[in-house]
C-alpha cells in the first residue's frame, strides 16, 4: 500500500512535481561546494581584502608622487623582459590599469599614460597576481598558484554560491527563505548547553505567511521553530558573515558585483 491509501481523499496532490537533481550531478556539486567553503574560503577572502585595498588606493585625481613610481614599475617590466599585467577583454589581453594604479597610489589616467609612454612595446599577459599567499590544498598541492586581481570578485561570487548550495541542500529550506537570512541567524551553541539539537538557524518563512487580516506578508514571518543544522551549514554561514557588508547574508547589491578595469 502507498501512503495515499491511508490519507483522506482530496482533489489535489501534495506530491512535489519538481524532478529531483540526479545524484550523479548533485553529489559532486555538493562536495565541491563544501570544498570551497572549507578549503578555499580563506584564500578567496584574503584575496578580496587585497583587491579592495588596491581599489581604495586608486586616486580620483593625478598624484604627482606616483608618476615616477609608475614609470619605474613599467620600465622594470621592460628591463626584465616580462609582459605587463593584464586581463582578457573581448578575447584579447589588455593592461590591468586599475591594478597598476592601485599599486602605485595613482589615478587610472596616470596608469594609462605610463603604459602608453613607457610600455607600449611590451606584450600583455592575462595575469595580474595578488600578493596574498595561497594556503588551500588540492591533492597535496596549492589549488591555485595565485589569485588574479580581476578574478577576486568572480571567486567571491562562486564562494557565495557554494555557501548557498550547502545551506539549501543540507537544510531543505526554500531559496526565498535562504535569501532572507541575516548576519547572526546562527548563534553559537553554548559550551555548557545540554540541548541535543546543537546549532539552530533562525529565519523567516514565506509560504502561508499572513497577517491578522489574512493578507500575505511580503517579507515573511519569523519561524517559530528554527532549522536544526549540522556543522557544514554552520561553516557556510560563518563564511557568509565574513563576506557580508550589511545585514543580509545574500544581498542583492554588493561591491562584489562592481567591475574595475
Amino acid at each position: 500500500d502507498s501512503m495515499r491509501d491511508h490519507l483522506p481523499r482530496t482533489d489535489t496532490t501534495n506530491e512535489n512535481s519538481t524532478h529531483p537533481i540526479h545524484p550523479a550531478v548533485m553529489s559532486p556539486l555538493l562536495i565541491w561546494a563544501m570544498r570551497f567553503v572549507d578549503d578555499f574560503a580563506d584564500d578567496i577572502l584574503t584575496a578580496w581584502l587585497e583587491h579592495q585595498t588596491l581599489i581604495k588606493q586608486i586616486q580620483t585625481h593625478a598624484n604627482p608622487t606616483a608618476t615616477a613610481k609608475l614609470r619605474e614599475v613599467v620600465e622594470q617590466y621592460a628591463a626584465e623582459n616580462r609582459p605587463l599585467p593584464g586581463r582578457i577583454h573581448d578575447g584579447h589581453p589588455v593592461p590591468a590599469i586599475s591594478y597598476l594604479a592601485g599599486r602605485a597610489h595613482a589615478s587610472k589616467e596616470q596608469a594609462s599614460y605610463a603604459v602608453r609612454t613607457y610600455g607600449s612595446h611590451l606584450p600583455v599577459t592575462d595575469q595580474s597576481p595578488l600578493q596574498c599567499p595561497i594556503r588551500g590544498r588540492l591533492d597535496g598541492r596549492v589549488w591555485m598558484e595565485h589569485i588574479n586581481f580581476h578574478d577576486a570578485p568572480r571567486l567571491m561570487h562562486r564562494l557565495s554560491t557554494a555557501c548557498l548550495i550547502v545551506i539549501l541542500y543540507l537544510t531543505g529550506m526554500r531559496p526565498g527563505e535562504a535569501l532572507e537570512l541575516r548576519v547572526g541567524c546562527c548563534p553559537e551553541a553554548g559550551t555548557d548547553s545540554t540541548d541535543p539539537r546543537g546549532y539552530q538557524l533562525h529565519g523567516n518563512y514565506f509560504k502561508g505567511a499572513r497577517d491578522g487580516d489574512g493578507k500575505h506578508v511580503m517579507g515573511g514571518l519569523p519561524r517559530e521553530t528554527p532549522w536544526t543544522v549540522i556543522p557544514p551549514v554552520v561553516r557556510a554561514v560563518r563564511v557568509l558573515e565574513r563576506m557580508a557588508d550589511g545585514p543580509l547574508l545574500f544581498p542583492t547589491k554588493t561591491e562584489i558585483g562592481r567591475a574595475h578595469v
Side-chain angles (χ1 to χ4, degrees), residues 58-64 105-110:
I58 298 174
Q59 305 298 304
T60 305
H61 304 289
N63 177 11
H105 294 258
S107 68
K108 292 183 183 181
E109 290 75 15
Q110 284 179 287

Side-chain angles (χ1 to χ4, degrees), residues 26-56:
M26 194 63 231
S27 294
L29 176 63
L30 180 61
I31 288 171
W32 275 104
M34 293 174 65
R35 292 213 67 171
F36 253 74
V37 172
D38 295 337
D39 299 338
F40 308 149
D42 285 343
D43 290 341
I44 295 172
L45 288 166
T46 302
W48 175 247
L49 288 176
E50 184 179 342
H51 176 278
Q52 290 299 92
T53 298
L54 289 174
I55 293 299
K56 292 176 182 177

